Amino acid sequence: MNKSEFNKYVRESLTKHQKNSNIDEANDLIDIFTESVINALAENDEISLVGFGRFSKSHMKSRTGRNPRTGEEITIPAYNQPKFKPGIKLKESCNKS
């Protein structure tokens, strides 16, 4: 699902809380949320949304890999990997019968 498809769900939720909502409002909310998550993780913060999940990052050590074309060994540098751990409500919503 891309942003424009997700926009539909955001507009439906906005309509529950407000009288009128439009595509631009929903896009603004999506942009604000994603930008906020990116900025918080960049500052080494962890975001915990009870029931929804937890955004964090973990450090990946440098390691040796192989170039798939040449088979030559290369060193993959260390980096920080974003992580998401789903909360209970999110897990339960995916397993409704």
Side-chain angles (χ1 to χ4, degrees):
M1 172 181 309
N2 62 29
K3 183 178 175 180
S4 62
E5 293 166 337
F6 182 62
N7 185 296
K8 171 188 161 200
Y9 295 98
V10 173
R11 280 184 285 137
E12 288 172 1
S13 296
L14 277 172
T15 303
K16 290 179 187 176
H17 299 284
Q18 300 178 7
K19 299 276 182 185
N20 297 319
S21 64
N22 61 35
I23 292 173
D24 291 333
E25 275 183 317
N27 280 334
D28 288 344
L29 282 175
I30 295 167
D31 290 341
I32 289 167
F33 178 76
T34 55
E35 183 179 334
S36 299
V37 169
I38 290 168
N39 290 339
L41 290 178
E43 294 180 10
N44 293 323
D45 288 336
E46 182 178 284
I47 305 155
S48 182
L49 304 172
V50 176
F52 180 73
R54 183 179 65 175
F55 295 93
S56 62
K57 66 181 180 180
S58 65
H59 183 73
M60 305 301 285
K61 295 178 182 177
S62 64
R63 59 190 170 92
T64 303
R66 292 203 176 272
N67 180 330
R69 284 190 194 151
T70 63
E72 176 187 357
E73 281 193 0
I74 58 171
T75 301
I76 300 169
Y79 62 95
N80 290 317
Q81 176 74 38
K83 300 274 184 174
F84 177 75
K85 182 178 180 184
I88 292 172
K89 288 181 183 178
L90 183 59
K91 285 181 188 178
E92 288 173 353
S93 71
C94 293
N95 293 301
K96 288 184 179 178
S97 298

